C-alpha cells in the first residue's frame, strides 16, 4: 500500500499550520463493542439513552470555541433521535455514517455489510437533508482481511472511510498501514483516513483520541498532536464518543476489569480536556480537511 501523492494536499490555517479534523462517533454507552458480552442487543430499546443530552453539551462546547467537526452517527440513534441529526447539520458540522447498529464490519459478510452501509446512508441523508460522504466502521473493523469493504463503500456512494487504525491493539488495528491518508485498493479506490498516530521506537503510538486521550496526561497528547502538525507537517485526526463526557452514565454489572478500566478511566476529566483541545488547535470537518470540499 502506497500513499497517493495527490492526497498530500490538506487544509491549512493562516500561517501555513495544518488544520486538524475533529470527529465524534455518535453512539450511546451501552452500544460499545466491549460491552457486547454484557449487554444484549435486544435490550437496547429499554436502556436509558443519554446521547441526546451529551450531544447537546458537545455541540454547545464546539459552538463556543468555533469548532466544526464530523459526526459519525449510528442509524439506530438517528432513527430515534432525528433532532440530534438536525442539530449536527444546523451547527455547520459534517454528518457521516457509523453504520446502523454498531456491528463490526469484520463480523458481516459482503451482502449484510452492503445493506448496512446503504440503509444507514439513506436514513441519515433523509433526516439530515445533506449528502453523506464519510463512513467509520465500528471498532475500526476494516483491515487486511476485509479490504473489500472499501470497494463496497465506494460503490454505495461514499467518498472516504476512517476505519483502518494503524496500531497494534487486541480489538482492532492494522499496524503496517500508512499513518496518513491513502488508497488501500489502489488510486481509483476509496480514500482511507486513519486516526492519528506518532512514530516512536519503531512503532505507531495512538495520538488521536479514544481511551488513550483520557489515560495519558493532556500535555503528552498535546505534544503528540503538535509533532504531527510540526514535524510531519500533516493534519491530525482526533475522535471521541458522547458517552466519554458523561460520568453519570449507568454502569453495567459484571464487567471484566480491562473493559471497566478502558471505559471509565478519567471520564470525569474528559469534557475539560476537550475544552483545552479546542483552544490549543485549529479544527474543522473531515470533508474540508481531507477532501477539500467547501
Amino acid at each position: 500500500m502506497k500513499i497517493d501523492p495527490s492526497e498530500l494536499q490538506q487544509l491549512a490555517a493562516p500561517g501555513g499550520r495544518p488544520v486538524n479534523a475533529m470527529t465524534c462517533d455518535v453512539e450511546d454507552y451501552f452500544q460499545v463493542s466491549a460491552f457486547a458480552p454484557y449487554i444484549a442487543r435486544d435490550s437496547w430499546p429499554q436502556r436509558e439513552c443519554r446521547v441526546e443530552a451529551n450531544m447537546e453539551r458537545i455541540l454547545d462546547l464546539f459552538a463556543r470555541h468555533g469548532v466544526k467537526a464530523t459526526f459519525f452517527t449510528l442509524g439506530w440513534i438517528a432513527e430515534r433521535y432525528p433532532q440530534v441529526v438536525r442539530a449536527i447539520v444546523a451547527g455547520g458540522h459534517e454528518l457521516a455514517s457509523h453504520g446502523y447498529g454498531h456491528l463490526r464490519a469484520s463480523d458481516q459478510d459482503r451482502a449484510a455489510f452492503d445493506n448496512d452501509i446503504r440503509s444507514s446512508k439513506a436514513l441519515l441523508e433523509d433526516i439530515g437533508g445533506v449528502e453523506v460522504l464519510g463512513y467509520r466502521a465500528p471498532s475500526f473493523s476494516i483491515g487486511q482481511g476485509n479490504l473489500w469493504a472499501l470497494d463496497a463503500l465506494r460503490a454505495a456512494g461514499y467518498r472516504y472511510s476512517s476505519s483502518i487504525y494503524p496500531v497494534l491493539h487486541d480489538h482492532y488495528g492494522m499496524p503496517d498501514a500508512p499513518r496518513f491518508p491513502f488508497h488501500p485498493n489502489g488510486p481509483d479506490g476509496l480514500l482511507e483516513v486513519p486516526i492519528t498516530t506518532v512514530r516512536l521506537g519503531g512503532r505507531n503510538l495512538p495520538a488521536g483520541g479514544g481511551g488513550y486521550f483520557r489515560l495519558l496526561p493532556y500535555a503528552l497528547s498535546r505534544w503528540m498532536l503538535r509533532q504531527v502538525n510540526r514535524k510531519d507537517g500533516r493534519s491530525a485526526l482526533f475522535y471521541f464518543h458522547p458517552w466519554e463526557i458523561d460520568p453519570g452514565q449507568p454502569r453495567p454489572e459484571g464487567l471484566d476489569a480491562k473493559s471497566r478500566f478502558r471505559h471509565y478511566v478519567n471520564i470525569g476529566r474528559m469534557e475539560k480536556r476537550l475544552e483545552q483541545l479546542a483552544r490549543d488547535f485549529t479544527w474543522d470537518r473531515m470533508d474540508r480537511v481531507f477532501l477539500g470540499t467547501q
Side-chain angles (χ1 to χ4, degrees):
M1 292 175 296
K2 296 182 179 180
I3 298 175
D4 182 353
S6 69
E7 298 302 336
L8 296 181
Q9 298 181 1
Q10 58 190 8
L11 193 64
R17 180 177 299 178
V19 173
N20 302 302
M22 174 66 72
T23 69
C24 179
D25 294 355
V26 184
E27 62 194 58
D28 222 326
Y29 67 96
F30 52 82
Q31 296 172 313
V32 301
S33 294
F35 284 2
Y38 308 98
I39 297 178
R41 184 173 291 270
D42 59 11
S43 75
W44 286 5
Q46 288 75 51
R47 299 269 171 182
E48 177 191 353
C49 279
R50 300 171 69 87
V51 68
E52 185 178 18
N54 291 333
M55 280 296 298
E56 185 175 346
R57 289 162 58 192
I58 290 165
L59 291 172
D60 180 65
L61 186 156
F62 285 172
R64 293 197 309 272
H65 294 282
V67 171
K68 299 302 181 186
T70 295
F71 289 87
F72 292 96
T73 306
L74 286 181
W76 192 95
I77 295 292
E79 201 168 54
R80 288 159 177 78
Y81 299 97
Q83 64 275 21
V84 169
V85 172
R86 297 185 185 113
I88 289 169
V89 174
H93 304 286
E94 181 189 10
L95 180 65
S97 173
H98 200 33
Y100 180 81
H102 210 264
L103 287 172
R104 296 181 188 224
S106 53
D107 290 340
Q108 302 178 68
D109 61 26
R110 183 152 187 165
F113 181 76
D114 194 62
N115 179 68
D116 183 77
I117 60 175
R118 289 177 182 272
S119 62
S120 61
K121 187 177 192 291
L123 176 62
L124 290 168
E125 291 178 340
D126 182 57
I127 296 171
V130 294
E131 186 179 9
V132 168
L133 304 178
Y135 171 83
R136 177 173 289 156
S139 301
F140 304 105
S141 51
I142 294 179
Q144 194 63 56
N146 63 337
L147 292 178
W148 55 260
L150 300 178
D151 291 332
L153 287 163
R154 187 172 182 273
Y158 293 90
R159 288 188 58 190
Y160 73 88
S161 162
S162 181
S163 306
I164 296 174
Y165 205 161
V167 295
L168 184 63
H169 190 279
D170 57 345
H171 288 172
Y172 52 74
M174 189 174 169
D176 61 341
R179 294 173 51 225
F180 299 111
F182 68 110
H183 290 103
N185 291 348
D188 295 327
L190 198 76
L191 177 68
E192 175 64 33
V193 187
I195 298 295
T196 291
T197 59
V198 293
R199 188 75 177 170
L200 290 173
R203 62 184 298 180
N204 298 336
L205 301 181
Y212 301 101
F213 182 70
R214 289 182 279 115
L215 173 64
L216 299 174
Y218 177 78
L220 178 56
S221 292
R222 180 176 57 196
W223 177 84
M224 290 193 292
L225 292 172
R226 285 178 174 168
Q227 284 287 102
V228 172
N229 286 168
R230 296 173 179 176
K231 183 178 179 180
D232 296 316
R234 304 303 299 267
S235 295
L237 173 56
F238 185 88
Y239 84 103
F240 71 104
H241 308 85
W243 53 261
E244 289 186 275
I245 67 163
D246 183 13
Q249 65 190 264
R251 302 201 172 200
E253 296 181 356
L255 297 179
D256 64 275
K258 181 186 290 186
S259 296
R260 186 167 57 249
F261 176 77
R262 285 175 171 174
H263 192 90
Y264 298 113
V265 62
N266 289 333
I267 205 167
R269 301 179 181 179
M270 182 65 175
E271 191 165 3
K272 287 186 177 180
R273 290 188 177 189
L274 279 177
E275 291 262 11
Q276 190 64 50
L277 198 67
R279 290 192 290 265
D280 286 342
F281 296 89
T282 303
W283 300 98
D284 207 342
R285 303 157 36 141
M286 281 194 71
D287 57 346
R288 291 203 284 244
V289 174
F290 297 110
L291 296 181
T293 62
Q294 299 298 318

